Amino acid sequence: MAYPPADGAAGNRPALVRVEGVSFSFGFRRVLEDVSLSIDEGDFLALLGPNGSGKTTLVKVILNLLTPERGRVFLWGRQAAEFLEWERIGYVPQKATHFDPAFPASAREVVAMALRSTRAVARLSRRKQEEAIRRALELVGMDEHRDRPIGRLSGGQQQRVFIARAIVTDPGLLFLDEPTAGVDAETQERFYDLLGRLNTAQGITIVLVTHDIGIVNKHVSRVACLNQKLIYHGRHEDFCRSGVDEMLAGGQHLVSHRH
Amino acid sequence: MIDAILHYAFLQRALAAGLFIALACAVLGVFLLLRKDAMIGHGLSHVAFAGVAVGLAVGWMPLLSALVVSVAGALGIMKLKESAGLHGDTAIAIFSSVGLAVGIILASVSGRFNVALFGYLFGDVLAIEPLEVGLSIALAILVVGLVALNYQRLLFMTFDREAARVAGVPVRRLDALITVLAAVTVVLGMKIVGILMVAALLVIPAAAGLQAARSFRSAVLGACAVAESSVIAGLLAAYVLDWPASGTIVLAAFLLFGILFLLRRRG
Ligand SMILES: Nc1ncnc2c1ncn2[C@@H]1O[C@H](COP(=O)(O)OP(=O)(O)OP(=O)(O)O)[C@@H](O)[C@H]1O
Ligand SMILES: [Mg+2]
């Protein structure tokens, strides 16, 4: 299977995300330097890098939460600042589970939040919205907990509810920023299988930020490695042969799953 | 007691205005508390004080002048917070003390409305006029309606502002909406419990509703129930005991809060 070049478009379809020469600083601290990459439809991209390497910052620049000091970001071929169809993007922030545990919202309400955020989704009928909520909760296996307060769920269950919220508008593109921090290994495994299913069965393009490459590799199709600059961006298999992974993992050997 | 309500128009007016206003305060209060913005009610009440003094000095209806001054003050607080990079409640503290300063100066310079001002400070709902009742009810309905229209978006940005922004929620526009609505409810609440206690209407029923809530909906409904019960119980008790209505309503709300608080700690 031939992949399109990293910075090009597949056929005449524009890449879902195109980052062109982006630099970003917090004050005098340079966090991103001349980062360019593109994300195509169907990708399952792992965005890797050590703590403080700028992964979260890059995601926030892509999502127009931060404005780059140099460079540009395109979403579906449109400049991020002018992009309007935000319901096409799902986002689970890194600190999603750091909310006030006493916040009074049921799992169902957390998912429903996203259903009036743009004009396009607000137009859905109430019945359609309820159906979308149920489908999203079922997909992540949380429908039976729909009426429980979000603060009383376990960290892994909360993350699944946040994913349900991110996918309830039926987005084509999903950003997850370290969604499994503080989740036990077995739950993580099932969690990544869920992401794999969303990617292959639902056709959702996934960007997964993590510094744990070990567990995700069987689902990941592409890898981007960040440490202020983009160190590597390409196919997962090539990444495993490039040795960058070993460098990142501190020499720990990783098995590549070939399909 | 029921007889009294059926009999006296002033009680009916107080009850009607009180029920609508308390409802608006309770609904908005839940959002304000969860936004950690409880102090804005307190600060805006002092700005409203300046507005009342302006109205009394130039001979406008104080409710209207307070409305204009408070909404302007609310937007000022928001702008100052954003642009000057001030910490936390600094902007609120500045506006609230300046509001008091302007009010005090106007009151003493014109010197002839101290009795009227007293009513605005401590509340005098039994003296509410028919025109004010109509205006209050209309504004309370407007507040509740605007919150209801933006309910899910407001909830989203209260729960997770960044995720809401990414989802396309116009968070800054809705910040302005919440702030302006807070100013409106403060002025309305002032008619019932007075400037010095109006923050109680925003905070206590909302805090009570949050005690046992398993969902946001139940928190809002609980806050409304507490607010309405406090107005009814407070007004009746005030009538029977010949206590001031404002203080009695606030105490009734506090009592209900206390009960819910204890129930939650035991259950
Ligand atoms: N709001 C901020 N103000 C100032 N500096 C910041 C801010 N947010 C992040 N930084 C700095 O920018 C750098 C990159 O942060 P970023 O959160 O993007 O890293 P990351 O790769 O996501 O790290 P982690 O794996 O720990 O999540 C860090 O050095 C961090 O200290
Ligand atoms: Mg991060």
Side-chain angles (χ1 to χ4, degrees):
Chain A
M1 187 177 161
Y3 278 86
D7 54 351
N12 50 13
R13 260 208 309 241
L16 300 198
V17 178
R18 208 164 75 243
V19 176
E20 287 182 354
V22 160
S23 297
F24 186 89
S25 307
F26 283 110
F28 292 112
R29 185 168 169 15
R30 177 56 59 92
V31 175
L32 296 174
E33 182 148 359
D34 197 24
V35 173
S36 299
L37 67 95
S38 73
I39 302 164
D40 293 317
E41 202 166 342
D43 280 356
F44 189 138
L45 173 76
L47 181 55
L48 302 172
N51 287 125
S53 55
K55 305 181 296 292
T56 298
T57 306
L58 177 59
V59 168
K60 287 187 177 176
V61 167
I62 292 174
L63 297 175
N64 200 34
L65 287 170
L66 297 171
T67 310
E69 71 192 63
R70 243 178 305 141
R72 294 184 300 179
V73 172
F74 295 90
L75 301 167
W76 277 273
R78 248 174 172 278
Q79 284 235 30
E82 282 143 35
F83 186 72
L84 292 174
E85 303 160 273
W86 291 103
E87 71 279 353
R88 299 178 77 175
I89 296 181
Y91 174 44
V92 180
Q94 179 164 17
K95 301 222 162 63
T97 49
H98 290 208
F99 59 89
D100 169 9
F103 196 100
S106 64
R108 195 204 79 88
E109 284 178 321
V110 170
V111 177
M113 284 174 191
L115 278 176
R116 294 266 180 221
S117 50
T118 63
R119 265 161 226 247
V121 284
R123 244 185 263 125
L124 289 176
S125 72
R126 187 171 279 264
R127 202 175 51 81
K128 283 242 171 67
Q129 293 203 353
E130 280 311 318
E131 204 175 299
I133 293 168
R134 193 182 43 74
R135 203 154 18 100
L137 279 169
E138 268 171 8
L139 215 53
V140 299
M142 285 299 293
D143 198 42
E144 59 191 300
H145 300 294
R146 62 194 344 254
D147 291 322
R148 289 183 57 196
I150 184 80
R152 305 256 183 90
L153 299 173
S154 73
Q157 290 174 322
Q158 287 171 358
Q159 284 294 13
R160 284 192 275 158
V161 173
F162 292 130
I163 292 191
R165 181 180 71 194
I167 61 176
V168 73
T169 58
D170 219 353
L173 176 59
L174 189 55
F175 287 84
L176 303 126
D177 197 345
E178 310 214 18
T180 56
V183 173
D184 67 74
E186 194 192 326
T187 315
Q188 278 190 27
E189 187 84 44
R190 267 188 285 139
F191 190 82
Y192 288 125
D193 287 342
L194 165 66
L195 295 187
R197 260 193 334 236
L198 290 178
N199 179 237
T200 47
Q202 311 278 318
I204 300 178
T205 304
I206 293 183
V207 179
L208 175 69
V209 176
T210 177
H211 43 236
D212 181 11
I213 20 177
I215 192 151
V216 295
N217 55 16
K218 68 178 165 191
H219 302 296
V220 166
S221 64
R222 314 205 110 213
V223 171
C225 243
L226 193 66
N227 200 350
Q228 189 173 340
K229 294 178 184 163
L230 197 63
I231 299 172
Y232 177 89
H233 180 217
R235 289 198 297 165
H236 180 235
E237 284 121 287
D238 302 338
F239 172 71
C240 291
R241 273 186 241 112
S242 70
V244 182
D245 62 333
E246 308 225 357
M247 188 191 84
L248 277 174
Q252 180 193 350
H253 186 68
L254 292 157
V255 184
S256 166
H257 293 249
R258 301 221 166 74
H259 307 289
Chain B
M1 283 179 341
I2 307 292
D3 283 354
I5 292 179
L6 292 176
H7 217 78
Y8 294 114
F10 74 92
L11 263 184
Q12 291 165 6
R13 282 201 295 271
L15 195 62
L19 287 176
F20 275 94
I21 292 171
L23 196 70
C25 289
V27 170
L28 199 67
V30 175
F31 286 99
L32 291 179
L33 285 197
L34 290 172
R35 281 163 60 93
K36 315 233 179 304
D37 225 354
M39 282 315 285
I40 198 159
H42 185 76
L44 286 173
S45 67
H46 293 176
V47 177
F49 175 67
V52 168
V54 168
L56 290 173
V58 303
W60 287 2
M61 189 177 175
L63 195 62
L64 286 181
S65 60
L67 213 51
V68 172
V69 172
S70 302
V71 168
L75 293 174
I77 288 175
M78 206 176 89
K79 279 272 168 291
L80 191 61
K81 225 186 205 166
E82 279 169 3
S83 53
L86 296 174
H87 287 286
D89 291 342
T90 314
I92 293 177
I94 292 174
F95 269 77
S96 92
S97 23
V98 171
L100 277 184
V102 171
I104 288 276
I105 290 171
L106 278 177
S108 93
V109 166
S110 48
R112 59 192 159 84
F113 51 76
N114 287 316
V115 177
L117 204 57
F118 196 81
Y120 282 96
L121 278 177
F122 295 100
D124 196 5
V125 68
L126 295 175
I128 194 167
E129 298 182 13
L131 182 63
E132 291 176 319
V133 175
L135 192 61
S136 299
I137 291 179
L139 284 172
I141 290 174
L142 184 74
V143 170
V144 174
L146 283 172
V147 170
L149 266 181
N150 292 289
Y151 178 82
Q152 266 158 334
R153 300 195 287 178
L154 289 171
L155 176 56
F156 200 170
M157 68 185 260
T158 305
F159 184 70
D160 186 337
R161 194 177 171 85
E162 281 200 334
R165 255 180 79 189
V166 170
V169 175
V171 293
R172 285 167 50 87
R173 268 211 327 261
L174 291 173
D175 278 342
L177 177 74
I178 285 265
T179 313
V180 168
L181 293 186
V184 174
T185 50
V186 159
V187 172
L188 294 179
M190 170 188 87
K191 267 325 274 189
I192 310 183
V193 295
I195 285 162
L196 293 176
M197 287 178 280
V198 66
L201 280 194
L202 284 168
V203 171
I204 297 177
L210 288 172
Q211 284 309 306
R214 289 173 60 84
S215 68
F216 193 78
R217 212 176 106 89
S218 64
V220 171
L221 292 178
C224 291
V226 168
E228 303 298 69
S229 319
S230 328
V231 168
I232 296 172
L235 272 179
L236 290 180
Y239 176 78
V240 170
L241 302 168
D242 199 21
W243 286 3
S246 55
T248 317
I249 290 173
V250 171
L251 272 190
F254 178 70
L255 217 68
L256 287 171
F257 168 79
I259 291 169
L260 287 171
F261 179 76
L262 291 177
L263 279 180
R264 192 188 75 146
R265 300 204 82 195
R266 299 185 64 216

